[in-house]
Amino acid sequence: MALILELFVTTTQPYIKNIIIATSREYGIFSSIKQNDDRLICAFDEKNENLDMMLQTLESRLPASLFLKNFKTYVQEQEITSLAWLDLLYPLGLGLCPSCQKDLFDVTSRRYYYPFTSCSCCGGGVSFLQHYPYNRTNTSMKYIQPCSKCEEEMKNVGLREGYHLNSCHECGIPVRLMSKNSERYANDAGSFRTMFEVAAKAINDNKKVLIQTTLGYRVFYKLSHKTPNTKLMFVEADKITDYCALISEEFQALLSIERPILHVALKDEELKNTMGYNTAFVKYPDEGFSILLGVELKRLGLDFIGYEEATSQSEADFKMEFDLEITTQEDLRYFLNKDRSFIASGERVCFPCRNTTHSDTLSIAYNLAGVDTQDGVIFDKLSRFGEVSSDRVHHVGALKNIHQKQFEIAEDEASFFSVIVEHNLQGQKCIGGYFGNEASFLYYNGKNVVRAVPPNKFDPHTLIEDIKNLREGSDRLIANLQKQRPEVYARLEALQEKQNANLFEAAAIILDIEEKNYRGLSKVAMRFTGKGGILVDTQVVDNKFNYTALIASIISYTLAGVDDTILAYSFFESFGDYFSDIMFQIQSKTKAQHFIICGESFGNQSLFSRVERNFKQNPPKLNKSFPLGKYNAVVGGAYL
């Protein structure tokens, strides 16, 4: 007989599985752990006298996770005859598991206040990986020789069995903290604690501190130094809801092992005034450096600070760093409302990853590659793979000639197909709406992907003249804009000279928003508290989206005195109706059963909520463990 623990998970990443395997191995319990679609099925030998103790330990070790939705247990007739093996094909880019966080603050631990603490099931080890196969000699930690205790840990069963990046204070990585007038080093528990105390005090004294964390450089400061890129890092979990209006799922997501960034509503009026918006991008400390800094900030009475991603050359009053090369990833931003959740953007947590379905195509997109191995297709940074052989190459964007059968593929098609792959919809008819910087509509007939409505690239170079010629009287619209809002007209003229301008930038200029981009437009849209917006012109001409009509529509409303908040909201809401209308039209002609949406712009609350409402009877499918756009293209490209 076997006890079955069935966990409902929406990721193929192995960290939850490895915690279960490591714990069962530690207690000597025969087990069989298998991933089956969205379920992790764990079968344990029910006769083992240590089973109850193992389950209690497992309960304390399993972290909260964005992808762990539920679980159930039952007993079935099954004989288990061996120990399961850990899946250690590649390192991870996570926050710390409960066991490693406990080590950080246990004064008897060899890793007390050691910021590089992690294990086989957590941490930012992917930052140290240089090339495959994954082992210590192929990471930047190859120069750090593990001590005898760490060597023993790596040989013994437990959370650090086979962990290539194992280290502690005895064999660890020294860190230095520098200012204009001083320099100090940390290489043991006492000096590390003092270093974080000094860094926290500097921030409390309104200084900026640049830290090379295990997930990349970040600069930390009080909000008096805030910029448009500032995110809030809360250091006191119990205080988050004092400042932010969160649903319970958002609070749980912030504290999950994935430690995502969330775009949330603020409720503290002083904080709203400081940030300049009623929303903010928020995070909870994820890796060792941020966690230890946060603890010291909390001791000084701070509930939160500002931070942003940085480089080694970023300006700061203090700089904390170590002498190992790391490779950074774009942080994960998570979208969540009461009904749906998905990864809006980013590569951390999502990559590296593996798909067990083999492919004879080398896929390349945004410095990521999908390479077929004996274990399936591994998706990771292209630089980490050596010589690769394949029957052909699919790539998004320009690429030098590396293969005689090399094909450039479209990002929207590859993103669309990544959703088909994740949901095992190959061979079934699907309709897709893609929204990155441009909008497009796709149809999969079960064999090939075709563009039902191709993307129409936004071209600003003749925008003003195009608006003048849009329809009768449009020339007066431009004349009124130039007369009534000359500063906006001047920015629109300047936009026409830019090479890489996009629709969001143009809309933000007309609305005179501080941040002239998608993020700024989204922040203003989230200020809207009404029940519905106004109709913004979203029309198709010659089977292509008409950006000129959209921009002219927004100009008309601004000249009529319509508030920028309702216009920003209406911009996204109208796109939601536009996508719904076109996709329903395509369905009526094709009889496709599945709707799909992809592209990073769907990470906007106003837009997604509108689409969700319109598709209530047949909700569209999205990526489950990949971001909604950009990086997901490398997955679709491998199987397209």
Side-chain angles (χ1 to χ4, degrees):
M1 295 292 286
L3 174 70
I4 309 298
L5 172 62
E6 193 171 324
L7 297 98
F8 296 83
V9 295
T10 55
T11 179
T12 58
Q13 293 285 26
Y15 46 94
I16 295 172
K17 177 177 70 174
N18 277 345
I19 290 176
I20 297 170
I21 292 173
T23 306
S24 65
R25 288 177 64 82
E26 192 174 327
Y27 283 88
I29 295 173
F30 291 163
S31 62
S32 170
I33 318 290
K34 295 180 180 179
Q35 185 88 32
N36 183 13
D37 293 328
D38 291 343
R39 299 185 182 190
L40 186 61
I41 301 172
C42 314
F44 304 108
D45 178 14
E46 196 190 30
K47 296 177 292 185
N48 193 299
E49 61 182 11
N50 293 325
L51 182 58
D52 287 341
M53 194 179 305
M54 187 276 289
L55 292 173
Q56 290 176 19
T57 301
L58 184 60
E59 185 178 2
S60 67
R61 286 181 175 178
L62 276 177
S65 171
L66 299 174
F67 307 109
L68 179 54
K69 305 300 182 182
N70 209 337
F71 72 94
K72 65 179 179 180
T73 59
Y74 52 91
V75 176
Q76 72 177 25
E77 195 75 38
Q78 184 178 346
E79 187 176 1
I80 313 296
T81 58
S82 62
L83 294 173
W85 289 93
L86 290 163
D87 183 354
L88 302 176
L89 195 60
Y90 50 81
L92 304 165
L94 298 169
L96 299 188
C97 69
S99 298
C100 286
Q101 289 189 66
K102 184 179 178 182
D103 277 350
L104 274 182
F105 302 108
D106 181 356
V107 294
T108 65
S109 168
R110 301 189 344 265
R111 298 180 175 88
Y112 178 65
Y113 264 72
Y114 182 59
F116 300 95
T117 298
S118 58
C119 70
S120 296
C121 312
C122 74
V126 67
S127 301
F128 299 90
L129 178 63
Q130 295 179 323
H131 55 87
Y132 286 97
Y134 171 43
N135 54 51
R136 195 174 185 111
T137 58
N138 289 336
T139 72
S140 57
M141 284 191 70
K142 60 190 172 187
Y143 304 107
I144 308 296
Q145 182 67 33
C147 65
S148 59
K149 292 179 180 177
C150 284
E151 285 268 22
E152 195 67 22
E153 265 184 326
M154 294 157 66
K155 295 175 184 176
N156 292 338
V157 292
L159 294 175
R160 294 190 174 93
E161 180 184 3
Y163 184 45
H164 300 300
L165 304 179
N166 205 23
S167 66
C168 67
H169 281 304
E170 186 175 338
C171 58
I173 306 163
V175 177
R176 61 184 175 272
L177 179 66
M178 300 168 289
S179 68
K180 291 181 179 179
N181 302 316
S182 66
E183 183 172 329
R184 65 172 65 235
Y185 282 82
N187 56 10
D188 59 26
S191 55
F192 266 112
R193 178 159 186 174
T194 300
M195 178 175 284
F196 283 104
E197 288 173 346
V198 171
K201 187 177 184 301
I203 292 171
N204 195 40
D205 290 339
N206 213 27
K207 305 294 186 183
K208 295 173 73 173
V209 178
L210 176 65
I211 299 181
Q212 181 187 11
T213 75
T214 58
L215 294 174
Y217 280 91
R218 295 170 178 171
V219 60
F220 300 90
Y221 46 76
K222 281 188 171 180
L223 293 185
S224 54
H225 295 289
K226 79 175 183 68
T227 74
N229 296 320
T230 296
K231 303 172 186 67
L232 290 179
M233 188 178 83
F234 281 90
V235 300
E236 176 61 88
D238 293 340
K239 295 291 185 69
I240 297 176
T241 52
D242 291 347
Y243 298 94
C244 302
L246 303 179
I247 58 176
S248 60
E249 290 84 356
E250 288 176 318
F251 181 77
Q252 292 163 10
L254 284 172
L255 271 62
S256 69
I257 191 170
E258 293 84 12
R259 292 291 202 270
I261 297 169
L262 296 185
H263 191 191
V264 304
L266 302 175
K267 70 179 183 182
D268 182 81
E269 293 301 323
E270 184 178 347
L271 186 54
K272 287 182 188 179
N273 292 333
T274 302
M275 295 300 294
Y277 293 94
N278 62 348
T279 65
F281 290 97
V282 172
K283 188 179 182 69
Y284 194 65
D286 46 12
E287 49 71 59
F289 284 88
S290 303
I291 291 171
L292 293 169
L293 177 67
V295 167
E296 296 305 324
L297 290 166
K298 185 166 60 175
R299 287 196 174 103
L300 295 174
L302 295 179
D303 296 331
F304 58 83
I305 56 170
Y307 87 96
E308 56 192 89
E309 284 78 23
T311 70
S312 61
Q313 304 304 312
S314 297
E315 291 187 8
D317 300 290
F318 287 80
K319 184 177 184 180
M320 185 187 298
E321 65 180 354
F322 49 91
D323 289 325
L324 290 182
E325 180 184 350
I326 61 171
T327 304
T328 60
Q329 294 181 307
E330 184 182 330
D331 210 350
L332 179 146
R333 187 171 79 79
Y334 200 62
F335 175 101
L336 199 154
N337 62 22
K338 289 184 179 180
D339 301 308
R340 301 290 292 274
S341 59
F342 54 84
I343 299 168
S345 63
E347 58 181 322
R348 190 180 64 78
V349 178
C350 306
F351 300 98
C353 66
R354 170 181 56 180
N355 191 313
T356 55
T357 302
H358 290 275
S359 170
D360 57 7
T361 299
L362 169 63
S363 177
I364 300 173
Y366 292 102
N367 294 318
L368 292 176
V371 177
D372 195 67
T373 70
Q374 64 180 10
D375 298 297
V377 179
I378 302 297
F379 297 96
D380 199 354
K381 291 190 182 297
L382 178 61
S383 59
R384 289 178 174 146
F385 298 100
E387 290 292 325
V388 176
S389 62
S390 61
D391 288 353
R392 62 182 174 273
V393 174
H394 285 171
H395 58 97
V396 173
L399 181 71
K400 66 179 182 180
N401 192 15
I402 62 172
H403 198 284
Q404 61 181 359
K405 291 184 178 179
Q406 180 172 318
F407 305 95
E408 183 173 355
I409 58 175
E411 182 176 332
D412 57 343
E413 295 180 14
S415 292
F416 172 55
F417 208 72
S418 74
V419 184
I420 291 172
V421 169
E422 274 204 283
H423 288 270
N424 297 313
L425 297 176
Q426 293 94 325
Q428 302 182 47
K429 292 182 177 180
C430 304
I431 297 163
Y434 174 86
F435 196 18
N437 285 332
E438 288 88 32
S440 65
F441 297 87
L442 307 120
Y443 171 58
Y444 175 61
N445 60 15
K447 294 183 179 179
N448 302 302
V449 174
V450 296
R451 284 193 174 120
V453 180
N456 184 19
K457 185 171 177 58
F458 177 74
D459 184 1
H461 299 114
T462 58
L463 181 60
I464 292 176
E465 195 63 31
D466 291 342
I467 294 173
K468 286 180 179 179
N469 298 324
L470 180 63
R471 58 178 70 95
E472 186 178 350
S474 292
D475 56 339
R476 292 194 299 274
L477 183 68
I478 291 297
N480 289 335
L481 177 68
Q482 188 174 11
K483 180 180 179 181
Q484 297 178 33
R485 307 189 70 185
E487 71 289 345
V488 171
Y489 179 83
R491 291 193 190 105
L492 213 54
E493 275 192 316
L495 183 74
Q496 293 186 135
E497 305 302 319
K498 291 189 66 173
Q499 293 299 316
N500 297 311
N502 61 52
L503 173 65
F504 304 110
E505 187 177 359
I509 284 173
I510 295 165
L511 297 182
D512 203 16
I513 292 171
E514 179 186 3
E515 289 184 67
K516 309 290 191 292
N517 52 33
Y518 168 83
R519 182 179 59 193
L521 206 60
S522 294
K523 286 181 180 179
V524 174
M526 284 189 71
R527 289 176 180 167
F528 183 67
T529 57
K531 293 185 177 179
I534 55 181
L535 184 62
V536 175
D537 197 343
T538 51
Q539 60 175 260
V540 175
V541 177
D542 297 330
N543 205 33
K544 290 185 177 181
F545 185 80
N546 190 339
Y547 293 114
T548 306
L550 173 67
I551 297 298
S553 177
I554 296 174
I555 291 173
S556 297
Y557 280 124
T558 59
L559 293 178
V562 177
D563 183 72
D564 62 352
T565 300
I566 190 171
L567 270 176
Y569 174 84
S570 300
F571 173 90
F572 289 109
E573 185 183 67
S574 296
F575 263 108
D577 288 336
Y578 164 68
F579 273 96
S580 305
D581 290 344
I582 300 297
M583 290 172 74
F584 283 134
Q585 288 178 33
I586 298 171
Q587 187 201 35
S588 69
K589 298 175 182 178
T590 62
K591 308 304 179 187
Q593 293 182 319
H594 304 287
F595 292 111
I596 287 171
I597 59 172
C598 51
E600 289 190 353
S601 295
F602 278 111
N604 173 273
Q605 283 279 1
S606 309
L607 172 58
F608 185 81
S609 296
R610 192 68 167 190
V611 169
E612 188 176 40
R613 191 199 73 174
N614 294 341
F615 283 91
K616 197 167 186 178
Q617 301 304 316
N618 188 1
K621 291 179 170 57
L622 311 104
N623 286 107
K624 293 185 286 186
S625 55
F626 298 115
L628 208 58
K630 188 176 177 179
Y631 298 113
N632 65 351
V634 73
V635 179
Y639 302 99
L640 193 61

